[in-house]
Amino acid sequence: MSASTPSYEARTRKLRDVDPEVFGLIQRETERQEYGLEMIPSENFVSEAVLEAMGSVLTNKYAEGQPGKRYYGGCHVVDDVENLASARCCELFGAEFANMQPHSGVQANQAVFEAFLKPGDTFMGLRLDQGGHLSHGSPVNFSGMHYKVVGYGVREADCLIDPDEVLSLARQHKPKLIIAGASAYARQFDWKVFRQAADEVGAIFLADIAHYAGLVAGGAYPSPVPYADIVTTTTHKTLRGPRSGMIMGRAAHQKAINKAVFPGLQGGPHMHTIAAKAVMFKEALTPDFKRYAQQTVDNARALAAALIKGGLKIVSGGTDSHLMLVDVRPLGVTGKVGEETLDRVGITANKNSIPFDPQPFTICSGVRLGTPALTTRGMGTKEMEQVAAFIVEALQNSGNDAKLKSVTAGVQELSRKFPLYKHRLVS
Ligand code: DSN
């Protein structure tokens, strides 16, 4: 086949020529990201190098199995890719082994259940309505459907996890697995308490650090690696990598985890994504990333303080991480109206239940905010005060179009000062 065959010609055309519709949609989304303020704490902006790895020819390769033990030929290059990613992961987190293959955080968690539990077994996790994650026992998720869930919560007085409750529930129910981790908990987990609870009842201790992974990597949040049997995480939140998952842990569990991921749950690993994870680890191993992690936390603290000054309430009174749960009721709105109002001014956030929320899940009394994406753009504590002022002004004027328009102009002006990508806004 020569370079002039129709097949070669068709295969090598640019996206904009092949599919102007999809090209246009990607353009629109690039502009939305570039000219708005992204404050969903589970979102971030990957580097152009990570994007490049994700868009590489590695997507063409099947590689079921483990490096060196594949079910396909031609895997010598992708073996090196996967080994490199795993080695960098272990170096970054100090883990004894790493499995790079889970396609997502939920699939990483599912593999842990498959490796250590049988359907009907009991496990403990933070309740979804108190900040936990879907895969930690929600009745509409595999974890809540196939296993017996014992949920722990936060104290009503200070909205902090109560170590005594964790220990006493473990003693009472003797779970096989205890999960520590959250989607909307701004404070530090005391990993030692979960280790103690697991040791007392012979349970596996799983730390799901999907939200905190980048902060842990950068030394801005305590690491569970010395305490947990297994650590799972997504790779696209504070860790700032491709949309995916991974598992780390103690060497004694490596075989069970590898088997649960493949052939237990998945087929071929996404080698282009694993390459992007390798790039992400390389970036996260730099002093620059350490600064990023600390700045993300500093920014969150500055934002929380400024929002409190503006009349809002922060669940648990503040944050030790990249996120905060804002009780928006003092400004006379619900979480739903809060999310919609912020969307209108170009600030992207999500409504979220607060602990002991009187509102249903569809309305909520809170909005969850985070600083990972804005910090990636280069914003600091000074900008956080400005962002807080936009948020307060928007929420105070949710029905006032003229005011919202002027906040939108401010949001766009600020975003333009912190350009996101150099090679992505091609028109
Ligand atoms: N959906 C993610 C979040 O936003 O926190 C958790 O998986």
Side-chain angles (χ1 to χ4, degrees):
M1 183 156 310
S2 83
S4 60
T5 60
S7 150
Y8 177 83
E9 288 305 330
R11 200 168 57 247
T12 54
R13 285 164 72 208
K14 289 283 204 189
L15 176 63
R16 68 195 320 164
D17 302 324
V18 173
D19 191 338
E21 226 175 327
V22 167
F23 179 80
L25 290 169
I26 293 173
Q27 277 305 96
R28 271 176 58 201
E29 176 60 12
T30 310
E31 279 160 22
R32 188 194 70 80
Q33 293 184 14
E34 184 88 35
Y35 302 128
L37 296 176
E38 180 51 71
M39 301 198 71
I40 292 175
S42 47
E43 294 190 11
N44 210 333
F45 300 121
V46 298
S47 66
E48 297 201 37
V50 167
L51 279 179
E52 205 177 323
M54 271 192 282
S56 70
V57 298
L58 296 177
T59 194
N60 296 333
K61 189 72 198 97
Y62 248 120
E64 284 178 3
Q66 290 294 321
K69 281 187 257 162
R70 307 281 194 185
Y71 291 83
Y72 290 82
C75 287
H76 49 286
V77 179
V78 291
D79 277 0
D80 287 352
V81 170
E82 190 165 344
N83 283 331
L84 183 62
S86 297
R88 285 180 180 168
C89 176
C90 291
E91 182 186 346
L92 182 65
F93 288 100
E96 292 175 11
F97 84 92
N99 185 310
M100 289 295 118
Q101 298 191 2
H103 299 324
S104 73
V106 172
Q107 279 188 291
N109 286 344
Q110 201 176 3
V112 179
F113 280 82
E114 284 289 322
F116 300 110
L117 273 65
K118 289 196 182 54
D121 280 348
T122 301
F123 77 97
M124 276 173 57
L126 179 61
R127 285 165 41 195
L128 185 64
D129 63 342
Q130 306 252 306
H133 184 255
L134 201 65
S135 63
H136 299 180
S138 159
V140 294
N141 179 262
F142 82 90
S143 54
M145 286 192 278
H146 304 316
Y147 303 91
K148 190 165 163 246
V149 188
V150 175
Y152 57 90
V154 296
R155 285 188 294 243
E156 196 153 7
D158 54 11
C159 289
L160 298 180
I161 290 168
D162 179 358
D164 293 336
E165 188 197 17
V166 171
L167 288 165
S168 77
L169 284 174
R171 286 170 193 145
Q172 190 186 337
H173 296 279
K174 308 219 173 340
K176 281 206 166 158
L177 172 74
I178 300 178
I179 308 179
S183 277
Y185 188 71
R187 297 303 192 168
Q188 290 185 357
F189 271 83
D190 186 349
W191 307 119
K192 282 194 204 106
V193 168
F194 293 89
R195 179 70 267 161
Q196 185 190 334
D199 282 344
E200 282 193 24
V201 299
I204 291 285
F205 167 24
L206 162 63
D208 176 349
I209 57 167
H211 264 273
Y212 317 105
L215 308 180
V216 170
Y221 192 91
S223 172
V225 172
Y227 304 101
D229 295 290
I230 300 289
V231 178
T232 55
T233 182
T234 49
T235 48
H236 48 270
K237 298 187 175 94
T238 48
L239 202 45
R240 217 164 58 180
R243 185 158 296 278
S244 195
M246 64 181 210
I247 305 174
M248 313 171 249
R250 298 187 173 172
H253 303 307
Q254 180 169 14
K255 213 166 152 199
I257 289 292
N258 285 355
K259 204 168 140 221
V261 175
F262 174 84
L265 289 170
Q266 296 185 176
H270 295 178
M271 296 314 305
H272 56 306
T273 309
I274 292 178
K277 287 180 213 179
V279 178
M280 164 194 82
F281 292 128
K282 181 158 188 172
E283 291 175 351
L285 280 160
T286 60
D288 231 24
F289 193 84
K290 264 188 181 309
R291 281 191 288 277
Y292 164 72
Q294 190 54 54
Q295 188 64 54
T296 299
V297 177
D298 292 348
N299 280 353
R301 290 199 170 119
L303 181 70
L307 292 172
I308 291 169
K309 254 197 208 153
L312 286 158
K313 257 171 77 180
I314 305 292
V315 171
S316 86
T319 179
D320 299 325
S321 64
H322 60 302
L323 70 81
M324 69 210 66
L325 205 45
V326 187
D327 181 345
V328 291
R329 291 173 299 183
L331 295 190
V333 289
T334 62
K336 182 172 187 293
V337 171
E339 175 189 313
E340 287 163 1
T341 304
L342 294 177
D343 231 355
R344 285 180 64 194
V345 299
I347 296 176
T348 310
N350 66 279
K351 64 176 175 298
N352 212 104
S353 291
I354 58 172
F356 314 101
D357 203 325
Q359 296 282 7
F361 265 127
T362 46
I363 307 288
C364 304
S365 299
V367 168
R368 193 180 60 149
L369 293 175
T371 53
L374 296 189
T375 309
T376 292
R377 293 185 83 140
M379 293 186 196
T381 52
K382 197 166 76 117
E383 284 76 28
M384 291 306 111
E385 285 172 20
Q386 210 177 336
V387 171
F390 292 147
I391 292 170
V392 169
E393 191 168 3
L395 296 181
Q396 278 171 336
N397 294 283
S398 60
N400 183 334
D401 285 351
K403 279 269 191 224
L404 294 183
K405 219 168 143 199
S406 96
V407 177
T408 309
V411 163
Q412 288 186 359
E413 196 189 327
L414 179 63
S415 326
R416 281 172 198 274
K417 284 191 201 147
F418 294 88
L420 193 47
Y421 289 119
K422 199 165 170 185
H423 305 106
R424 293 285 148 182
L425 269 182
V426 282
S427 50

